[in-house]
Amino acid sequence: MRWINRRRAEVLDRVQPVAQKIRRRLRPPLLTVCGSVLMAAILLVAAVPEKHLSVYSTAANYSLLLTQRDRRDYVGLLEVLEPLGKVTAKSDGQRWRLRYNNKIEGEFFAGRTRVRVQGRDAELPARFILENGRGLVPLSSLASLLPRFLGGPVTVHEDSGRLFIGSVATHFTASLAADNPPKLVFHFTTAVNPTVSTEPGSLRMTFSREPLVAPALPTLTFGSKVIPSATYSENNGGAVITVTSPVPLIASFSSDGRTVTISPTSLSSQTVVTPPGPSGPTPSTTPGNGAGSSGSRRYFAVVDASHGGDDRGETLSTTLFEKDVTVALARSLRQELESRGITVLALRDSDVNLSLDQRAFLVNNNHAAVYISLHATAIGHGVRVYTALLPWGGDDRGPFHSWETSQHAYLPLSQSAATDIANEFQKRQIPVRSLTAPLRPLNNVTTAALAIEVAPQGTDLSQLTAPDYQQLVTSAVATAIAADRDKLGAPQ
Amino acid sequence: MIPRQLVITVAVLLVAVLGMSVYAWRMRGRAAAIPGASVDTRPLEPAFSGPTERATLYVAFDADGSLRARSAQIPLPTGRQQQAEELMSALLSIYLEKTSPHPLAPGADVRSVYLVDPGVAVIDLNSAFADGHRSGVLVEELTVTSLIHTISANIPGVLKVKILVNGKERETLAGHADLTGLYDVTAVNQLSTELQPVQ
């Protein structure tokens, strides 16, 4: 026994140093491998962000986590409806019942695509999943499923995980202010509070809580070397506006969060130059360095939302006035023109008083190539394009033109542009009529001058406020103006 | 001592007087509540009687935004000014009908028409005409063209027309049609051609 112990001790004495040597050699690689695995796991988790669904409604804006099942995005139906009303759910074996506002009842079966809401069958694009009493439906099913519970329309942006319940949307316009260096001014229809981040070559505003919707075109170009463009995109429950620039940019907020101004960082030390004009409201502007400018012309087009302030224009309904529709049309037209590289001076972008003489003065003083006055009406169908019906007079004395008939020399150009715009409307099958009209300030303007009166295509007055109809009209006008650029921009 | 029959008679008469007073008071309230009755100034019968002549009225139609010629028999007054007023009266009677193709506000009227040499006609509308007029470029343009073209087509020598409201100059008819300048009849005649119904 004693021999055995001695023998073991001898062996251990010989083996231990070798084992220690091996252990010493293996320790660093082992630690490296373990560390690498750990790091890889951390990076993998960080690289795959959780997917979210942002829900926008008049009752509340909220965000929910999406769940991946069967390579599809799923969402808990109870969680979607809970902030919107009183919801109760009960599971009974494979059956899951949901009751909304004590009125509407839905019945779902685990593993099946057929569901029953208020006694009517509906088909899901993928199977219903029941997990621990939680009912999961495919994200793509919300567009058809939710209206059955809520009784109103919903819009689902499936790729970006955004759900709009009812008519909630924040629109925006972007225009380059005529300063040196230029500033990019975003106007939003409601107050916004985006997360702003900068990186070399761009400034990014991320809107996770606001129901921001895309402009007519996802990329807006401004014809400026300092701020050449801005793009709109959506992903993972948010909207992002990215402003590109070769110089560092900063964002500042004003008008209670409705206006965001993007400017080069060096701007703060410079004097801001305001555009010339008569006393009164300052028009919303974009600079004249773009492709649309001709010679010393700062703005190629002047867009005028008629009426405003005390002058409500036509009362279209008990809650809708012409002055409100014309502002929306003007914003849309400005965007359409700018997207075609045409520089724009918008005379009115808010509810302010602006006299007819002030409007004419601003147009003439800026030497724009074309003036477009926008009107809206509930009477008739389609669109009317007007040029000036000149009054009696026209006693021009040498270089001094009669104010009442200032348009006289430009009338052929105005009529030519009106014909081209009417043709563009006809191409798009919008009913159109070209007329002359005793409508100021058309007769006081010393450039091509047009008025466009927009009526609904049918009897539905709500079409006047529908962004798609407004865009249909304004894109036709912008296309015609862009095609006439050389003709309108030629020296008169 | 007053006889009992007399007391009863007086009491009955007093009750009758009080009752009639209450009834009359309530009837007066009801009459005042009937809308429009007090502002409808349309004449019940033509203001002029006697021989008539054929005239062409240019009537606006909202349905298709057109101006159409319509023949009418109007009284034959002695002067051009009275003739112009008769034309306006005939035109307005169409617009104030229940089935009007281009409705005007209740109480709308042309106060008077003045013919001023050389070749200027002044149409003076009342406040109800302009204040109650519907707003819109085309709808206002139809009214103005209808008035001016009806006068210029029937009364020779009119070259310019001025429209006043209640004897004063006004910026627009109802937010759109310009009333500050003198209308050139040649330009308005051209516009009325543009407003002819599409065949």
Side-chain angles (χ1 to χ4, degrees):
Chain A
M1 192 65 187
R2 203 175 289 160
W3 181 83
I4 290 169
N5 286 342
R6 203 184 305 135
R7 188 76 191 150
R8 187 187 286 167
E10 280 171 11
V11 170
L12 280 173
D13 285 346
R14 257 183 281 151
V15 169
Q16 263 176 349
V18 177
Q20 275 174 355
K21 211 178 207 175
I22 291 168
R23 234 179 270 148
R24 231 177 281 137
R25 278 189 185 173
L26 277 178
R27 195 175 290 160
L30 198 70
L31 280 172
T32 311
V33 168
C34 288
S36 300
V37 167
L38 197 68
M39 282 296 284
I42 291 166
L43 286 172
L44 206 63
V45 168
V48 184
E50 287 173 326
K51 291 183 84 175
H52 289 88
L53 171 71
S54 290
V55 186
Y56 309 104
S57 73
T58 49
N61 295 343
Y62 48 99
S63 182
L64 301 169
L65 267 179
L66 290 173
T67 309
Q68 278 273 317
R69 296 285 182 274
D70 306 336
R71 293 183 182 174
R72 279 176 172 273
D73 288 326
Y74 273 78
V75 64
L77 187 58
L78 179 81
E79 290 91 317
V80 172
L81 289 169
E82 218 160 23
L84 306 172
K86 192 180 172 189
V87 198
T88 51
K90 200 183 282 181
S91 61
D92 175 17
Q94 294 297 298
R95 194 170 69 161
W96 189 73
R97 292 170 74 182
L98 181 104
R99 208 173 162 80
Y100 179 70
N101 276 352
N102 289 328
K103 283 190 297 193
I104 303 170
E105 197 165 297
E107 201 173 14
F108 300 77
F109 295 92
R112 289 196 205 165
T113 56
R114 186 161 290 250
V115 301
R116 205 167 174 79
V117 182
Q118 281 296 87
R120 290 175 62 192
D121 284 343
E123 198 73 30
L124 299 179
R127 70 190 177 99
F128 172 77
I129 295 172
L130 191 55
E131 279 183 359
N132 303 321
R134 185 169 172 242
L136 299 174
V137 293
L139 177 63
S140 54
S141 70
L142 293 181
S144 59
L145 199 57
L146 286 182
R148 292 168 186 262
F149 285 96
L150 303 170
V154 303
T155 308
V156 183
H157 295 187
E158 203 183 326
D159 293 339
S160 55
R162 302 181 83 209
L163 172 64
F164 299 79
I165 296 171
S167 54
V168 284
T170 299
H171 297 271
F172 73 94
T173 59
S175 61
L176 214 57
D179 293 324
N180 190 22
K183 290 186 291 182
L184 180 58
V185 184
F186 287 95
H187 292 287
F188 297 87
T189 52
T190 55
V192 294
N193 188 18
T195 308
V196 180
S197 59
T198 55
E199 53 191 76
S202 68
L203 179 144
R204 184 184 291 235
M205 292 187 286
T206 305
F207 302 81
S208 49
R209 290 171 292 274
E210 297 87 352
L212 196 69
V213 291
L217 291 169
T219 301
L220 307 170
T221 52
F222 307 107
S224 162
K225 284 178 184 170
V226 180
I227 304 178
S229 66
T231 53
Y232 173 91
S233 60
E234 292 183 358
N235 65 32
N236 202 14
V240 180
I241 296 175
T242 309
V243 182
T244 53
S245 174
V247 297
L249 299 172
I250 52 164
S252 57
F253 292 75
S254 57
S255 308
D256 294 329
R258 284 169 182 257
T259 302
V260 180
T261 305
I262 311 293
S263 52
T265 46
S266 55
L267 185 71
S268 55
S269 60
Q270 295 184 11
T271 308
V272 175
V273 181
T274 51
S279 59
T282 308
S284 172
T285 60
T286 61
N289 301 326
S293 59
S294 163
S296 61
R297 179 173 285 132
R298 298 177 69 199
Y299 311 104
F300 189 85
V302 175
V303 173
D304 184 7
S306 64
H307 310 289
D310 300 330
D311 173 14
R312 297 186 297 191
E314 184 181 342
T315 303
L316 300 164
S317 72
T318 50
T319 54
L320 185 65
F321 301 112
E322 185 184 358
K323 67 174 183 176
D324 302 319
V325 178
T326 58
V327 166
L329 282 168
R331 284 177 186 153
S332 175
L333 179 57
R334 181 172 64 178
Q335 205 145 304
E336 290 294 331
L337 287 166
E338 284 172 353
S339 70
R340 288 162 177 81
I342 291 172
T343 50
V344 178
L345 170 71
L347 290 191
R348 187 171 75 82
D349 197 37
S350 56
D351 191 16
V352 292
N353 288 307
L354 204 58
S355 75
L356 297 170
D357 283 339
Q358 277 180 317
R359 290 170 203 254
F361 179 88
L362 282 164
V363 183
N364 296 343
N365 212 33
N366 281 289
H367 307 288
V370 61
Y371 165 72
I372 306 157
S373 173
L374 294 162
H375 292 263
T377 182
I379 301 165
H381 308 296
V383 181
R384 266 102 56 175
V385 184
Y386 298 99
T387 51
L389 176 81
L390 295 181
W392 181 278
D395 296 332
D396 295 346
R397 304 277 167 90
F400 300 102
H401 294 279
S402 159
W403 180 244
E404 283 76 26
T405 55
S406 306
Q407 172 65 189
H408 186 261
Y410 305 88
L411 206 51
L413 193 62
S414 305
Q415 285 163 345
S416 166
T419 306
D420 293 338
I421 290 172
N423 289 341
E424 194 59 42
F425 280 126
Q426 275 172 345
K427 270 189 216 167
R428 296 171 193 225
Q429 297 181 326
I430 302 169
V432 64
R433 208 166 165 201
S434 294
L435 293 164
T436 52
L439 186 67
R440 287 191 67 212
L442 292 184
N443 51 309
N444 309 123
V445 169
T446 55
T447 190
L450 310 154
I452 292 165
E453 188 176 40
V454 183
Q457 280 184 301
T459 52
D460 184 11
L461 197 61
S462 66
Q463 202 177 23
L464 282 176
T465 53
D468 53 347
Y469 182 58
Q470 290 179 349
Q471 200 203 337
L472 185 70
V473 171
T474 56
S475 68
V477 177
T479 303
I481 296 291
D484 279 355
R485 197 182 314 207
D486 293 340
K487 189 166 65 179
L488 290 166
Q492 298 301 309
Chain B
M1 177 90 186
I2 301 164
R4 196 179 169 201
Q5 296 92 323
L6 195 62
V7 172
I8 291 168
T9 308
V10 168
V12 167
L13 281 170
L14 273 172
V15 168
V17 165
L18 280 171
M20 286 299 286
S21 303
V22 170
Y23 179 72
W25 183 259
R26 292 186 73 176
M27 288 299 285
R28 185 169 170 268
R30 273 189 208 174
I34 296 169
S38 58
V39 291
D40 192 351
T41 58
R42 279 180 290 169
L44 292 172
E45 54 189 59
F48 184 91
S49 57
T52 58
E53 68 169 356
R54 184 162 290 276
T56 307
L57 307 178
Y58 287 87
V59 182
F61 282 78
D62 292 340
D64 58 354
S66 68
L67 201 66
R68 298 179 200 187
R70 184 188 281 189
S71 277
Q73 287 294 128
I74 63 159
L76 184 64
T78 49
R80 291 167 76 219
Q81 191 158 317
Q82 288 83 353
Q83 192 185 1
E85 284 176 353
E86 289 300 339
L87 285 165
M88 293 294 97
S89 176
L91 190 60
L92 257 67
S93 67
I94 295 171
Y95 290 145
L96 291 167
E97 282 171 2
K98 273 187 181 170
T99 55
S100 169
H102 178 75
L104 293 181
D109 201 3
V110 174
R111 292 172 77 219
S112 50
V113 181
Y114 304 99
L115 295 177
V116 188
D117 285 330
V120 181
V122 179
I123 304 171
D124 187 13
L125 310 173
N126 71 350
S127 300
F129 192 115
D131 294 344
H133 200 284
R134 290 167 298 153
S135 181
V137 182
L138 185 61
V139 76
E140 291 176 48
E141 176 173 60
L142 282 168
T143 301
V144 167
T145 313
S146 167
L147 297 175
I148 296 172
H149 196 43
T150 297
I151 286 195
S152 67
N154 292 283
I155 300 178
V158 175
L159 302 173
K160 305 169 236 180
V161 176
K162 173 78 182 172
I163 297 176
L164 301 176
V165 178
N166 227 12
K168 291 175 189 163
E169 186 173 282
R170 187 165 161 139
E171 195 167 46
T172 61
L173 179 59
H176 297 89
D178 180 26
L179 299 187
T180 57
L182 281 166
Y183 277 93
D184 182 349
V185 164
T186 313
V188 174
N189 290 349
Q190 178 59 39
L191 173 58
S192 68
T193 313
E194 292 172 26
L195 291 169
Q196 293 301 306
V198 181
Q199 299 301 317

